[in-house]
Amino acid sequence: MLRILFFVLVVLVLGGGFAWLADRPGDLTITFAGMRYEVTLMVAATAVVAVVAAVMLIWWLIKSIIRSPYALQRHFRARKRDRGYQSLSTGLIAAGAGDARAARNMAKQAGKLLNVDQEPLIKLLEAQTAMLEGRTGDARAKFEAMLDDPETRLLGLRGLYIEAQRAGARDAAQHYAAEASKLAPHVEWASGAVLGRLSVAGDWDEALKLLDARKADQQTDKETAKKERAALLTAKAISTFDSDPAGAKTAALEAHKLAPDLVPAAVIAARALFRQDDLRKGTKILETAWKSSPHPDIAQAYVHARPGDSVLDRLKRARRLFTLRPNNPEASLALAHAALDAGEFKLARENAEAVLRMAPRESAYLLLADIEEGETKDQGRVRQWLSRAVKAPRDPAWTADGFVSEQWAPVSPVTGRLNAFEWKVPVEQLPSMIDLDPDVRGPEPETPALPVIIEPEPAAPQPTRVEAITTTPAKDEKQPEPQPKPKGNEAKPTRDKGDKGEEVKMLVVDDPGVIPDEKAEDTQTRFRLF
């Protein structure tokens, strides 16, 4: 744009100059070598301009001829570089798509067209190609070569970290994450891995230092920074509650100040205050947290604020919580538990049934079973509530990345993400003993087929129907000794085939919780199964 304006300006100046000379006629006389030349001013100005333009044109031609080899070389070099970057781009796309063959071909082509030492992306493409083809040693060597270049050092550490995780070398992975965290504390994967390791080790001071370094090195949301620091301070207070009560109190109060909605922070802060006989301040913290987010941990800490309180005193405190949030399932559940402990069965039943009306859950049915056991001793009703509890929706629990925990934790054990646990209903229940290490859970118990002993039972007003299933042991297992057949009225087991062709015996007897039909056959009697 500036060149165009400059050209237009020059044309205007020349035009104006020629117009000015045309309005002022005159002659120009030149004497050279005894010869006298007379020309008009217009002709003289035109000749001067033409000479200047010819000189400029000749200079441009000479310069173009002199620089033509370099320009031609630069043209071919730029064309080669463009082809190389096109191959590099295509190779990275192929590596991302999982096409190892195309990625390998493009990596070779890019290596020929580009300078490997000046283009670090070629090393990345070669390492990704090796990872796709399963050549872990070559991939590791490529990533280790990146450590020598300051520009690719972080990239090499990331690749080595991923390879160590794939190989199951956790110590090596933590080492690479720690090096990356020192190099760039703001990198999420590195700081998250180090925070997870420090949290498992219980080194909360180092975790807080790392968190401060990460926050100082990047622009993060202030609220997020406060919640992450509050989570680490809460974990520190929980771990040092017994060994250092004063330090636990300081950390817990700071955590509660940073994140008032964090339930574990409020609970541990109140417990620390209760331990130092500051009942008023601890109660105020719990009441404030309860108003914003009712939680069973808050109710437990509030009701049992003083260990020496009687059951009636605890019931009184539970009533206080109920008045703060009257139409809430957690408030009704806490009052029902306190009433059951105090022997107020009617109050406990009313609040437990209120929970079922507001938000049916497993714990409410179990509580009604306990109430039935304590008030009426009716085993039939107890079993009825227990059977409903099996089919009821699960209670909320601390959940992070699909992992369900009974207690809150500052980081996710799955991904290492900080402040990941949420209080919600888990999607599915994780097995408790199946995933444990064999050394932890012990040897698998043998399950031989046990004999079924059947005895006549006296008549009961409410019979029960029980199904006993016995599987036939395998051929290589030790067969149990045959049992004598019961005489008199005996139940004949029915035989059926299992999914794998195993013979299954099914013994069907009456349920003592259901009144038998008077028109039933005489062979159908009541039995007790031991």
Side-chain angles (χ1 to χ4, degrees):
M1 186 66 183
L2 293 177
R3 290 183 179 181
I4 297 176
L5 292 176
F6 179 74
F7 177 76
V8 172
L9 181 62
V10 171
V11 172
L12 290 175
V13 171
L14 291 175
F18 280 109
W20 183 78
L21 288 175
D23 294 337
R24 291 166 177 80
D27 297 327
L28 176 65
T29 303
I30 300 175
T31 303
F32 180 73
M35 300 295 292
R36 183 177 180 179
Y37 303 95
E38 291 185 1
V39 293
T40 61
L41 289 178
M42 181 64 69
V43 174
T46 303
V48 171
V49 172
V51 170
V52 172
V55 171
M56 293 179 62
L57 180 60
I58 293 172
W59 173 253
W60 176 79
L61 290 174
I62 295 173
K63 186 177 67 173
S64 299
I65 294 172
I66 294 174
R67 297 184 60 183
S68 59
Y70 173 75
L72 190 62
Q73 182 183 5
R74 185 178 59 181
H75 169 72
F76 285 113
R77 187 169 60 248
R79 182 179 178 184
K80 181 180 178 180
R81 184 179 65 249
D82 293 341
R83 289 174 56 197
Y85 279 112
Q86 181 64 34
S87 301
L88 182 60
S89 176
T90 305
L92 290 174
I93 293 174
D99 190 351
R101 181 179 178 181
R104 181 175 64 255
N105 295 335
M106 292 297 103
K108 292 180 180 179
Q109 186 174 349
K112 295 178 182 179
L113 298 174
L114 298 175
N115 190 352
V116 180
D117 296 332
Q118 296 180 358
E119 186 49 62
L121 288 178
I122 298 179
K123 299 179 182 179
L124 174 62
L125 179 56
E126 292 176 348
Q128 289 184 340
T129 304
M131 293 171 62
L132 288 174
E133 294 177 347
R135 296 181 285 111
T136 57
D138 294 342
R140 204 160 39 242
K142 296 294 182 182
F143 286 124
E144 289 176 355
M146 296 181 188
L147 300 180
D148 300 332
D149 189 355
E151 294 183 355
T152 59
R153 180 175 176 80
L154 187 61
L155 178 60
L157 290 173
R158 170 67 170 170
L160 292 173
Y161 171 78
I162 295 176
E163 286 297 317
Q165 279 192 326
R166 289 182 178 179
R170 296 184 178 180
D171 294 337
Q174 288 295 334
H175 169 72
Y176 295 131
E179 292 296 327
S181 178
K182 295 177 183 178
L183 185 64
H186 64 278
V187 177
E188 186 67 26
W189 66 267
S191 59
V194 177
L195 281 175
R197 177 179 60 84
L198 294 175
S199 300
V200 172
D203 194 350
W204 307 113
D205 294 332
E206 291 296 328
L208 288 170
K209 291 180 181 178
L210 177 61
L211 186 63
D212 293 338
R214 187 173 72 174
K215 298 301 180 295
D217 198 50
Q218 67 173 349
Q219 298 294 332
T220 55
D221 185 17
K222 293 183 179 180
E223 293 298 326
T224 303
K226 288 182 179 180
K227 291 182 179 180
E228 291 179 348
R229 181 173 178 82
L232 290 179
L233 288 172
T234 302
K236 179 181 178 181
I238 293 174
S239 61
T240 60
F241 180 74
D242 296 327
S243 59
D244 186 11
K249 173 186 173 182
T250 303
L253 290 177
E254 183 181 355
H256 179 64
K257 183 178 179 181
L258 292 173
D261 57 342
L262 185 60
V263 172
V267 172
I268 192 62
R271 289 181 58 197
L273 292 171
F274 292 157
R275 190 164 187 174
Q276 296 184 359
D277 296 332
D278 194 347
L279 186 64
R280 183 185 62 82
K281 188 175 181 180
T283 302
K284 184 178 179 181
I285 290 176
L286 291 179
E287 288 179 353
T288 304
W290 178 265
K291 292 177 182 178
S292 60
S293 57
H295 194 277
D297 292 345
I298 298 178
Q300 179 72 12
Y302 188 86
V303 173
H304 297 82
R306 290 179 298 193
D309 285 350
S310 63
V311 292
L312 295 179
D313 293 333
R314 292 198 295 267
L315 178 59
K316 182 179 179 181
R317 299 181 68 83
R319 289 179 184 273
R320 169 62 179 169
L321 281 182
F322 185 80
T323 56
L324 296 177
R325 292 295 297 268
N327 296 322
N328 185 269
E330 298 296 341
S332 299
L333 202 60
L335 181 57
H337 278 287
L340 176 61
D341 294 338
E344 298 288 342
F345 298 109
K346 182 179 180 181
L347 179 61
R349 187 183 296 274
E350 291 177 355
N351 285 274
E353 292 176 351
V355 174
L356 297 182
R357 290 192 297 269
M358 289 184 288
R361 59 183 64 182
E362 181 182 1
S363 60
Y365 287 105
L366 295 177
L367 179 59
L368 283 170
D370 293 337
I371 295 172
E372 204 70 50
E373 176 73 21
E375 184 180 9
T376 64
K377 308 295 183 180
D378 189 347
Q379 297 301 318
R381 296 285 295 175
V382 171
R383 285 193 294 270
Q384 182 182 4
W385 290 120
L386 293 177
S387 64
R388 293 184 181 181
V390 175
K391 301 178 182 179
R394 296 190 60 192
D395 287 71
W398 290 111
T399 307
D401 300 321
F403 180 82
V404 182
S405 176
E406 296 182 357
Q407 297 179 351
W408 175 87
V411 295
S412 170
V414 179
T415 60
R417 185 163 51 95
L418 186 60
N419 200 19
F421 274 93
E422 298 177 352
W423 181 256
K424 63 181 182 180
V425 178
V427 177
E428 61 180 7
Q429 185 174 3
L430 299 179
S432 58
M433 295 298 295
I434 296 177
D435 294 337
L436 292 179
D437 190 88
D439 296 334
V440 177
R441 71 169 184 257
E444 294 290 341
E446 298 181 358
T447 57
L450 299 177
V452 179
I453 304 176
I454 304 175
E455 295 180 358
E457 181 186 10
Q462 294 181 348
T464 291
R465 184 177 184 84
V466 180
E467 292 186 3
I469 300 176
T470 307
T471 59
T472 304
K475 295 181 180 180
D476 54 350
E477 296 182 357
K478 185 178 179 181
Q479 298 290 341
E481 296 181 0
Q483 298 296 324
K485 298 181 179 179
K487 299 180 179 180
N489 293 334
E490 58 185 22
K492 296 182 180 181
T494 61
R495 298 181 181 271
D496 195 0
K497 294 290 184 178
D499 295 337
K500 298 181 179 180
E502 296 180 352
E503 188 177 12
V504 180
K505 298 179 180 180
M506 301 184 63
L507 178 63
V508 181
V509 295
D510 287 344
D511 186 352
V514 181
I515 300 177
D517 189 2
E518 296 179 355
K519 297 181 179 181
E521 297 181 0
D522 297 338
T523 56
Q524 191 176 16
T525 56
R526 295 186 303 275
F527 296 96
R528 182 169 53 198
L529 182 62
F530 292 90

